[in-house]
Amino acid sequence: MLDLDSDSAVIVAMDHGLNWGVQPGFEDPEATLSAVLNGDPDGVLAGVPLLRRFEALLDDHPGVDRVATLDLFHESTLPGVREDAEIHRRVFSPQAAVDAGADAAKVALVYGRHAEATLETNLVETAEAAESCRERGLPLVVEPTLWGERIDDELDPTYIRNATRVAFELGADVLKCHYPGDPEAFGRITGDAPVPVYIAGGPAADTDLAALRMVADAVGAGARGVMIGRNIWQRDDPAGMIDAVGAVVHEGVAPEAAADLLDTTRDR
């Protein structure tokens, strides 16, 4: 089993449907999951029901760990619509994650919202999830984000630095945060964190090479690996992209060389 605390890892995030419904490149959950698993990532991150529904498919890839997302957030009372609502709750339990075969769990910690009560609930539920996961021997990934309406810059390194510290203090065993685009600033974030830091991917980059450069910069500044989704399954060749990202994360391959590797795997 992958040790998120000591290993480097390429984890493919596939929990987007919980929050936004059908996503381009992720219309068919089983087909997209199969395409990702064909790339032999170190793990996948998905909601508990998706892990449960496709347990047999995941069992065919025993080397792929499973990270279960326990919460969801909606930005509207209309499905799939992004407005300014602040709906965020933990909806699955750590025990449900264990029952679904998860090797770790994940919750988000979202800053910048207008409603203090929403943040208060988020903080309490994160701490409760950490304790419940610990009782079950389940590592908890906390994803501090700057998604609230009060935030002007979702990549503000000072806010990210403070948010990751709070996430650790609430009980995170692993942190997942956005790369702010500045290796020096990110180095301060990873240097201050007493637990491993993985990067989130955000929207798909314009090119494969741009995504690989982001990964390389983050790893060079102390990231243990990645937990990215759209920069994998929205690319032309998800399995090839996993190979390329893995070369950067595990072997320190330069992004340009990793992009060349991607080109050689497109026909498989």
Side-chain angles (χ1 to χ4, degrees):
M1 183 175 71
L2 175 69
D3 183 354
L4 288 172
D5 189 55
S6 60
D7 297 335
S8 60
V10 176
I11 310 291
V12 181
M14 307 188 71
D15 57 349
H16 299 67
L18 274 172
N19 308 311
W20 302 305
V22 178
Q23 294 289 289
F26 202 173
E27 293 87 355
D28 183 332
E30 185 172 11
T32 303
L33 178 60
S34 294
V36 165
L37 292 174
N38 285 339
D40 295 321
D42 297 301
V44 296
L45 185 158
V48 171
L50 191 148
L51 295 178
R52 185 186 301 125
R53 174 64 180 83
F54 299 114
E55 182 176 8
L57 178 58
L58 289 160
D59 285 346
D60 289 337
H61 299 267
V64 178
D65 275 17
R66 308 169 200 186
V67 183
T69 294
L70 305 182
D71 58 349
L72 61 76
F73 51 91
H74 280 14
E75 297 158 298
S76 175
T77 58
L78 300 174
V81 175
R82 298 191 180 192
E83 296 176 325
D84 59 357
E86 299 177 343
I87 303 164
H88 185 189
R89 291 301 303 262
R90 180 161 64 87
V91 291
F92 307 116
S93 68
Q95 186 58 51
V98 171
D99 293 342
D103 302 288
K106 192 221 77 169
V107 295
L109 179 60
V110 183
Y111 280 99
R113 287 162 165 168
H114 291 290
E116 293 179 5
T118 302
L119 176 60
E120 179 182 2
T121 298
N122 194 183
L123 291 165
V124 170
E125 290 188 339
T126 298
E128 290 176 346
E131 289 304 308
S132 185
C133 285
R134 186 163 291 107
E135 291 170 0
R136 290 162 175 77
L138 194 68
L140 179 67
V141 180
V142 178
E143 180 179 7
T145 70
L146 309 177
W147 287 334
E149 289 291 315
R150 294 184 61 200
I151 297 294
D152 294 323
D153 179 6
E154 292 184 4
L155 301 180
D156 185 296
T158 300
Y159 281 150
I160 293 174
R161 187 182 182 201
N162 285 309
T164 55
R165 176 58 180 267
V166 174
F168 162 72
E169 297 283 356
L170 288 171
D173 299 298
V174 174
L175 295 166
K176 174 190 176 187
C177 70
H178 285 87
Y179 175 67
D182 180 345
E184 183 176 350
F186 190 64
R188 287 192 291 271
I189 293 167
T190 59
D192 290 345
V195 295
V197 177
Y198 290 72
I199 64 161
D206 291 339
T207 65
D208 294 338
L209 182 57
L212 292 168
R213 283 175 172 160
M214 175 185 69
V215 172
D217 286 349
V219 170
R224 189 64 57 80
V226 302
M227 296 186 184
I228 60 178
R230 286 168 287 183
N231 276 298
I232 297 291
W233 44 260
Q234 282 187 341
R235 309 229 71 89
D236 292 337
D237 177 13
M241 192 63 176
I242 291 169
D243 281 345
V245 173
V248 173
V249 170
H250 295 307
E251 303 168 35
V253 173
E256 293 77 11
D260 290 341
L261 173 66
L262 176 62
D263 290 339
T264 67
T265 61
R266 285 194 182 278
D267 295 330
R268 69 178 178 181

